[in-house]
Amino acid sequence: MGVNMAPCEQQFDTPKQLDAALAIAVAARLAAAIESRGEAWLVVSGGRTPLGFFAQLAAQPLRWEKVIVTLADERWVDNHHLDSNEKLVREQLLCGPAAAAQFLPLADLSSDIDSAVSELDYRLMRAPRFAALVLGMGDDGHTASLFPGATALQQGLDINSGRSCIIVEPLTAPHLRVSLTLPRLLDSDEIFIHIVGANKQQVLERARASGEVSELPIRAVLRQHAAPVTIYWSGQ
């Protein structure tokens, strides 16, 4: 069933206020999924922006042992590397009560990337609908690792690709990446777009205007009707 509504937007004076509200909203989605399905899949993004949100979410009173956490994208680096999203999530989110959650990594350097991504794709294809997906957005309009100009972008955006994840080599960012595809990202009870700063707000306004999805891939999330989208934004 399609969701025939434009994205909602929640604006906050400070990132701290945003983090607290977003944590409560995501926790509510997780709790509802646990109640109805017996487990809840949470998909998060890396970078500096979600650090405060992770701390707030980790303190939420949830049945964390019923939560499975994974990533919207990951750099193909060891999980001890400073650029590893897995390292970030394990240190900043999976702590305190949230340490009881399960974690599905996207990068497995014990095998070659093609074999690892093929196995990951198989597992994600059989995973249930995500309870909550938290996406960031770059200044170039990318989300997850669906970067403008990347050779794999069209495959990543293809709603009928039959793929859950792909290998991406960005033109303007370091490291080979693994990214969830648009159809897998959209298979979510709710999508939360988390942005901070005036620059990101300007990019978001451009993305809401007419133009090609390939120019600003976040448009694919804003324009779809498969899952509700709420934008959490603070200007600071």
Side-chain angles (χ1 to χ4, degrees), residues 63-141:
R63 295 164 64 192
W64 281 103
E65 73 278 3
K66 301 292 186 180
V67 177
I68 302 94
V69 180
T70 193
L71 290 154
D73 66 317
E74 177 62 286
R75 300 167 178 92
W76 193 254
V77 295
D78 184 270
N79 61 10
H80 297 295
H81 194 287
L82 289 177
D83 292 339
S84 168
N85 286 336
E86 176 180 348
K87 174 181 169 66
L88 180 79
V89 169
R90 288 190 182 278
E91 293 178 351
Q92 303 295 328
L93 175 58
L94 301 181
C95 50
Q102 302 172 60
F103 182 75
L104 175 63
L106 299 191
D108 178 7
L109 273 66
S110 66
S111 59
D112 67 274
I113 189 169
D114 292 296
S115 298
V117 171
S118 178
E119 182 175 342
L120 178 66
D121 184 65
Y122 180 86
R123 181 167 182 182
L124 286 171
M125 286 286 286
R126 284 149 186 80
R129 186 173 177 85
F130 299 143
L133 163 65
V134 185
L135 289 173
M137 181 190 70
D139 289 338
D140 60 357

Side-chain angles (χ1 to χ4, degrees), residues 2 17 26 50 64 108 111 154 177-178 184 199 205 236:
Q17 292 172 348
V26 169
W64 281 103
D108 178 7
S111 59
Q154 290 308 313
R177 314 284 180 108
V178 179
R184 193 63 188 93
N199 288 344
E205 291 307 312
Q236 290 191 11

